[in-house]
């Protein structure tokens, strides 16, 4: 898909680096991390968008700002860098913008928009270029019998509306714990959320456009552009096997928690396929293709969103043919209350709670431990409000004496698989870390 040509300051310069050494340019753009507490070097190659979001408004003279300048609004403030519309998120990278949610801010049953993480692979469409009224979604591809376009109003009018609460977790959530470390955003635990999404079934729309007998896969294209500014490159274009696309819960959504989808989460339209790596849920959705082969868009090929077929020793080089694409995410849980570091009185039992999820499966049990996994007590676990939503768990724990304790949580899926207590199988890109989450408690 052709992208809007980029002619502004944010991409000048990097073009030349791309021409000389595309890999080095990619590394610079994708892998640079920001220490959110220092802000040193924070805006070196930052986009106008990130800067505007950071200072809380547009910057009329942005094209005159020297590279590397830290806006005074940030340099003179002690507040940590905040994204507009997001509250308390930790920014891992500002170009592209990537921000995760501390666990205690994920305590709500339904994740509020302000607490949903942001994972951008490229530069989102400029907000002033987005017009929801004229936005068109195109359906095509070689296995589409009757390609068509729909405005959002037409989608709303022609198809039944559905609302589901859906777990979206980045495949790289937990990456920071792998040794040797994998390149990419060093997500800790916060690249997961479970808001509600409202839209139409992907199935209904694809069926209206005719799914040919040879259809095996779908692919999406969004309106964001590649960080290099190259209009012929997509930042990401992934998809799912046709069976996953045709599930009841796979949506083309225009609303999150009953409101417009937040800009950074894909306004005005996105696809959501819960339980799979977040990367299959395309934001700023412009086009869906029905494919007669596995989709071959950007970041479909290994090592992207792929893991070795067989366990490998940490640090191994894995040839492309030994990778498989990640489908369902593994069983996992979070302790969302209390916040790690809490002080607790020895006299009182403590309420602990969180969420558990298991990709396409449901969670059967959650256990908690206060003695580093030596003994476990069963938590109360609720059913999910619908398939592919996380499940609330709660436990009451009593401490035997004063001192430093950790609370560990471990979920088990319907097939009997549990979370590992240590970091699971190393893989080159650091995906699928579902090790038990733990929090610290001081009992006095
Ligand atoms: N168009 C587009 N869609 C995208 C992405 C992107 O960069 N561009 N990132 C993907 C990835 S890797 C993830 S984990 C989810 C994150 O969704 P969120 O940013 O709304 O939390 O969006 C996915 N969809
Ligand atoms: Mo992701």
């Amino acid at each position: 898909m052709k992208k809007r040509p980029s002619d502004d300051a944010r991409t000048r310069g990097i073009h030349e680096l791309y021409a000389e050494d595309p890999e080095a340019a990619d590394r610079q753009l994708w892998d640079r991390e920001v220490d959110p507490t220092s802000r040193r070097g924070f805006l070196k190659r930052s986009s106008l968008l990130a800067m505007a979001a950071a200072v809380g408004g547009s910057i009329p003279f942005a094209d005159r700002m020297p590279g590397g300048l830290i806006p005074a609004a940030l340099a003179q403030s002690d507040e940590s860098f905040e994204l507009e519309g997001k509250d308390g998120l930790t920014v891992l990278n500002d170009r592209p913008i990537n921000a995760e949610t501390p666990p205690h801010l994920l305590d709500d049953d339904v994740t509020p928009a302000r607490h949903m993480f942001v994972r951008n692979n490229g530069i989102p469409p400029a907000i002033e270029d987005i017009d929801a009224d004229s936005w068109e979604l195109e359906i095509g591809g070689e296995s589409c019998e009757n390609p068509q376009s729909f405005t959002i109003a037409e989608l709303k009018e022609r198809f039944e509306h559905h609302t589901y609460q859906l777990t979206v977790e980045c495949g790289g959530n937990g990456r920071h714990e792998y040794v040797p470390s994998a390149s990419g955003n060093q997500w800790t635990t916060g690249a997961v959320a479970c808001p509600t999404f409202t839209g139409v079934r992907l199935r209904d729309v694809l069926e209206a456009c005719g799914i040919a007998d040879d259809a095996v896969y779908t692919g999406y294209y969004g309106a964001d552009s590649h960080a290099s500014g190259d209009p012929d490159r997509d930042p990401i274009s992934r998809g799912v096997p046709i069976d996953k696309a045709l599930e009841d819960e796979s949506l083309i959504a225009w609303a999150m928690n009953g409101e417009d989808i937040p800009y950074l989460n894909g306004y005005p339209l996105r696809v959501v396929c819960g339980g799979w790596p977040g990367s299959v849920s395309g934001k700023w959705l412009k086009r869906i293709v029905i494919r007669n082969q596995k989709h071959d868009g950007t970041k479909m090929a290994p090592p992207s969103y792929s893991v070795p077929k067989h366990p490998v020793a940490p640090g191994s080089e894995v040839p492309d043919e030994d990778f498989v694409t990640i489908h369902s995410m593994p069983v996992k849980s979070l302790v969302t209350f209390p916040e790690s570091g809490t002080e607790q009185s020895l006299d009182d039992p403590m309420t602990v709670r969180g969420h558990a999820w298991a990709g396409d499966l449901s969670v059967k049990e959650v256990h908690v431990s206060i003695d580093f996994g030596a003994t476990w007590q069963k938590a109360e676990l609720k059913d999910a409000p619908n398939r592919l939503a996380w499940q609330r768990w709660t436990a009451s724990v009593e401490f035997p004496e004063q001192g430093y304790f950790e609370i560990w949580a471990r979920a088990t899926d319907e097939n009997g698989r549990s979370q590992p207590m240590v970091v699971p199988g190393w893989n080159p890109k650091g995906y699928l870390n579902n090790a038990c989450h733990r929090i610290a408690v001081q009992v006095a």
Side-chain angles (χ1 to χ4, degrees):
M1 189 175 111
K2 279 273 172 204
K3 289 280 158 48
R4 166 175 60 87
S6 185
D7 55 3
D8 58 39
R10 66 194 178 195
T11 51
R12 231 178 284 141
I14 199 75
H15 283 297
E16 286 134 53
L17 185 53
Y18 260 97
E20 276 163 38
D21 185 349
E23 276 186 25
D26 265 334
R27 270 199 306 280
Q28 276 201 22
L29 286 169
W30 308 109
D31 296 341
R32 193 168 58 84
E33 275 171 67
V34 176
D35 173 357
T37 57
S38 85
R39 277 181 223 107
R40 211 151 3 108
F42 155 53
L43 287 169
K44 233 187 221 143
R45 271 174 300 275
S46 153
S47 66
L48 286 182
L49 180 83
M51 279 197 266
V55 301
S58 73
I59 307 174
F61 290 128
D63 58 339
R64 303 186 191 171
M65 281 174 75
L69 181 78
I70 300 169
L74 296 176
Q76 295 166 2
S77 126
D78 285 336
E79 273 165 43
S80 64
F81 169 53
E82 294 265 330
L83 295 170
E84 203 178 324
K86 298 287 171 186
D87 195 1
L89 267 59
T90 307
V91 176
L92 301 177
N93 194 334
D94 64 309
R95 180 173 181 127
I97 294 174
N98 285 280
E100 69 171 339
T101 317
H104 68 281
L105 296 184
L106 287 171
D107 190 43
D108 299 84
D109 288 350
V110 177
T111 311
R114 68 184 190 283
H115 289 158
M116 178 159 185
F117 76 103
V118 178
R119 196 297 184 237
N120 287 348
N121 287 264
I123 309 303
I127 197 154
E128 56 279 8
D129 291 348
I130 301 178
D131 175 19
D133 295 333
S134 61
W135 190 271
E136 293 221 338
L137 169 66
E138 202 184 313
I139 311 287
E142 66 274 6
S143 294
C144 177
E145 289 168 340
N146 180 19
Q148 288 172 62
S149 289
F150 302 91
T151 61
I152 296 174
E154 285 166 344
L155 289 174
K156 288 181 177 172
E157 198 186 291
R158 280 195 51 185
F159 304 99
E160 217 176 275
H161 299 191
H162 295 274
T163 298
Y164 293 105
Q165 195 185 338
L166 297 168
T167 309
V168 177
E169 181 180 20
C170 182
N173 196 22
R175 173 178 291 139
H176 84 115
E177 284 193 296
Y178 282 106
V179 181
S181 62
S183 70
N185 294 294
Q186 296 301 300
W187 303 108
T188 65
T189 56
V192 62
C194 196
T196 68
F197 291 95
T198 300
V200 294
R201 286 195 170 125
L202 183 53
R203 180 177 70 216
D204 291 347
V205 178
L206 297 185
E207 279 176 352
C209 299
I211 305 169
D213 289 344
D214 63 354
V216 293
Y217 230 91
T218 60
Y220 71 74
Y221 294 88
D224 45 344
S225 37
H226 193 271
S228 65
D230 181 343
D232 295 324
R233 294 179 72 181
D234 294 306
I236 186 165
S237 169
R238 302 198 71 243
V240 291
I242 195 79
D243 289 353
K244 178 70 180 170
L246 299 183
E247 283 182 351
D248 286 355
E249 300 83 3
S250 294
L251 294 181
I252 297 171
W254 56 77
M256 194 171 116
N257 298 340
E259 298 189 349
D260 286 346
I261 295 173
Y263 166 58
L264 290 171
N265 300 113
Y267 175 79
L269 200 65
R270 78 177 295 175
V271 61
V272 188
C273 294
W276 284 37
S279 55
V280 302
S281 295
K283 306 194 280 187
W284 310 291
L285 181 67
K286 288 302 293 175
R287 184 163 185 240
I288 293 180
V289 285
I290 312 176
R291 306 295 315 263
N292 65 5
Q293 58 169 75
K294 182 174 177 179
H295 184 52
D296 52 1
T298 303
K299 303 210 175 184
M300 279 305 293
S304 291
Y305 302 104
S306 308
V307 289
K309 270 184 208 154
H310 310 292
V312 300
S316 303
E317 289 231 358
V318 179
D320 282 356
E321 61 273 20
D322 287 354
F323 279 97
V324 285
T325 305
I326 299 167
H327 284 176
S328 175
M329 294 293 285
V331 62
K332 197 162 171 177
S333 59
L334 271 181
V335 183
T336 58
F337 182 87
E339 185 175 352
S340 188
T342 293
E343 281 180 28
Q344 169 71 19
S345 147
L346 179 58
D347 304 330
D348 306 319
M350 187 170 87
T351 299
V352 186
R353 61 174 181 258
H355 310 287
W357 61 98
D360 281 338
L361 303 176
S362 63
V363 176
K364 187 173 69 180
E365 284 175 348
V366 172
H367 290 85
V368 295
S369 175
I370 58 166
D371 55 10
F372 304 98
T375 64
W376 295 86
Q377 100 183 45
K378 201 166 156 178
E380 239 179 80
L381 177 67
K382 281 198 189 158
D383 289 340
N386 55 253
R387 208 180 145 248
L388 310 181
W390 64 20
Q391 292 167 242
R392 165 65 79 191
W393 63 264
T394 314
S396 174
V397 299
E398 283 177 46
F399 297 94
E401 57 184 299
Q402 297 188 356
Y404 174 87
F405 291 85
E406 290 190 3
I407 295 175
W408 294 13
R410 188 182 68 184
T412 304
D413 71 23
E414 65 182 79
N415 292 342
R417 276 182 184 245
S418 298
Q419 291 180 254
M421 281 175 269
V422 295
V423 182
W426 184 92
N427 62 89
K429 295 287 279 179
Y431 297 122
L432 306 185
N433 177 6
N434 66 335
C436 292
H437 182 221
R438 55 204 184 103
I439 62 159
V441 180
Q442 286 286 352
V443 178

